[in-house]
Amino acid sequence: INAHRYLENQVLSSLSGIIAPTSLEKLFFDEDPALVIPIAKTLCQQGRLPGSVSASLNNAVYIPHIFTHMQRNIIDSYFRTNGYVTEKKCVGAGLSRNRMECFVRESFPNAVLLPHAIIEPDVICQPLEVAIQSAVMNNGYADLRSLVPLDVACN
């Protein structure tokens, strides 16, 4: 029991100051992952360690809440400013496509999912509608490509 308590304290103190995703196997290379991973998961579930543990067959990663919060702020700020966010931008912030979609949909429920981006219809589509209506009314053409952000149009 003392050895377990010691390892629990070691895990807690080692992970408490972490601000980026960290491999548990690499951080605790001299400990048995079968012991470390359940301890880290329990500490997170109890709220004693602010984060979560994502475990796969070959690796377990501790993801601190501050890192997730920072990712959300980056993506939300970019989307709010530009009316869209691309998958490439999210990958650059360390987000998978699923996390990108989840983050944006939570903050911007009217967002529309495209194959490689998520857009805010009012910001992206409304200028397109106005240009199309103007072209129809004037029996002319509209250069819609110039109204779509380049990194959204390219994808």
Side-chain angles (χ1 to χ4, degrees), residues 78-118:
Y78 188 88
F79 192 87
R80 190 175 295 108
T81 300
N82 298 290
Y84 73 94
V85 66
T86 62
E87 190 172 0
K88 184 177 180 180
K89 174 73 174 170
C90 290
V91 167
L95 284 174
S96 67
R97 179 172 176 79
N98 289 343
R99 299 273 300 171
M100 167 184 89
E101 186 177 346
C102 181
F103 277 13
V104 173
R105 289 214 184 268
E106 284 176 10
S107 299
F108 306 95
N110 294 329
V112 174
L113 181 64
L114 301 176
H116 298 287
I118 298 178

Side-chain angles (χ1 to χ4, degrees), residues 53-133:
V53 175
S54 173
S56 66
L57 290 175
N58 300 334
N59 197 14
V61 176
Y62 170 67
I63 304 166
H65 286 324
I66 192 166
F67 180 79
T68 305
H69 183 70
M70 179 186 69
Q71 284 180 314
R72 178 178 297 281
N73 285 344
I74 289 169
I75 299 307
D76 281 1
S77 176
Y78 188 88
F79 192 87
R80 190 175 295 108
T81 300
N82 298 290
Y84 73 94
V85 66
T86 62
E87 190 172 0
K88 184 177 180 180
K89 174 73 174 170
C90 290
V91 167
L95 284 174
S96 67
R97 179 172 176 79
N98 289 343
R99 299 273 300 171
M100 167 184 89
E101 186 177 346
C102 181
F103 277 13
V104 173
R105 289 214 184 268
E106 284 176 10
S107 299
F108 306 95
N110 294 329
V112 174
L113 181 64
L114 301 176
H116 298 287
I118 298 178
I119 64 168
E120 176 62 56
D122 292 340
V123 175
I124 303 297
C125 297
Q126 198 166 25
L128 296 173
E129 289 178 30
V130 170
I132 291 169
Q133 288 172 355

Side-chain angles (χ1 to χ4, degrees), residues 7-67:
L7 185 56
E8 183 179 287
N9 287 336
Q10 186 181 9
V11 169
L12 184 59
S13 65
S14 296
L15 295 177
S16 290
I18 302 261
I19 60 169
T22 301
S23 166
L24 295 179
E25 283 84 358
K26 289 180 182 175
L27 185 63
F28 299 103
F29 61 89
D30 56 343
E31 299 291 345
D32 181 2
L35 297 174
V36 172
I37 295 169
I39 289 173
K41 283 184 175 183
T42 299
L43 290 169
C44 290
Q45 289 167 350
Q46 292 172 342
R48 295 174 57 199
L49 191 58
S52 61
V53 175
S54 173
S56 66
L57 290 175
N58 300 334
N59 197 14
V61 176
Y62 170 67
I63 304 166
H65 286 324
I66 192 166
F67 180 79

Side-chain angles (χ1 to χ4, degrees), residues 142-155:
D143 181 13
L144 301 180
R145 193 160 180 89
S146 67
L147 298 174
V148 178
L150 187 59
D151 45 352
V152 172
C154 288
N155 291 317

